[in-house]
Amino acid sequence: MKVSEIMTTEVETCGPETTIQEVASKMMELDVGSIPVTEGGNLRGIITDRDLVIRGIAAQFSLDTPVNRIISSDNITGTPDMDVEEAANLMAQQQIRRLPIIEDNKVVGIVSLGDVAVDEEDPEDSEIALEEISKPAEPDK
């Protein structure tokens, strides 16, 4: 099964100058835990609810701080034509729960751990991904 068959295609994005408050409100309104940050349609990073709390609020940034100050900018991405198993493995390796899907440098979808879990073709993929993603990160030495 291909990622294009399970990904969410109506993805809300925000710009890098969107404030922490605006993104938090949008997450609440949409009932999502992450929003891709784009500029000119290109992915700059992803802002997660955890980023808002740990990198924003706990770091004492004001609510009018632009998200580009706290986004996750590792930009681990997938493509619509990759296999779900490949996406699950990538998510497990990178310990991420959401994978932005890119085509022609544009965000065309997002795959969550939940999307992978409902892939009935191979439920083992979701078990592997969940197990790997849920492992504690190795401490820096």
Side-chain angles (χ1 to χ4, degrees):
M1 181 177 276
K2 299 292 181 189
V3 165
S4 60
E5 298 174 62
I6 65 165
M7 70 183 187
T8 300
T9 56
E10 294 186 24
V11 180
E12 283 284 332
T13 63
C14 68
E17 296 302 317
T18 306
T19 68
I20 290 172
Q21 174 67 52
E22 291 170 320
V23 169
S25 294
K26 187 180 273 196
M27 284 182 184
M28 183 177 73
E29 173 189 326
L30 300 170
D31 193 26
V32 297
S34 69
I35 296 180
V37 179
T38 59
E39 189 168 36
N42 297 318
L43 185 67
R44 289 260 332 263
I46 191 163
I47 184 81
T48 66
D49 45 9
R50 188 172 197 280
D51 292 332
L52 291 174
V53 173
I54 304 298
R55 295 181 182 168
I57 297 168
Q60 298 184 353
F61 279 102
S62 68
L63 294 179
D64 61 354
T65 300
V67 296
N68 66 355
R69 301 272 313 270
I70 64 168
I71 61 173
S72 300
S73 57
D74 296 342
N75 288 345
I76 313 292
T77 62
T79 61
D81 61 342
M82 74 190 309
D83 290 325
V84 171
E85 180 178 357
E86 185 182 353
N89 289 334
L90 179 60
M91 293 169 77
Q93 285 174 337
Q94 300 297 322
Q95 290 192 307
I96 56 175
R97 296 177 183 272
R98 301 161 192 100
L99 182 67
I101 305 302
I102 307 297
E103 188 171 54
D104 297 325
N105 294 320
K106 307 290 183 219
V107 177
V108 295
I110 196 160
V111 171
S112 71
L113 187 57
D115 296 327
V116 173
V118 298
D119 173 21
E120 294 179 22
E121 192 171 297
D122 192 355
E124 190 174 306
D125 288 345
S126 60
E127 291 174 26
I128 292 167
L130 180 59
E131 184 177 304
E132 291 299 315
I133 291 166
S134 299
K135 282 184 181 175
E138 293 291 320
D140 292 334
K141 295 179 179 169

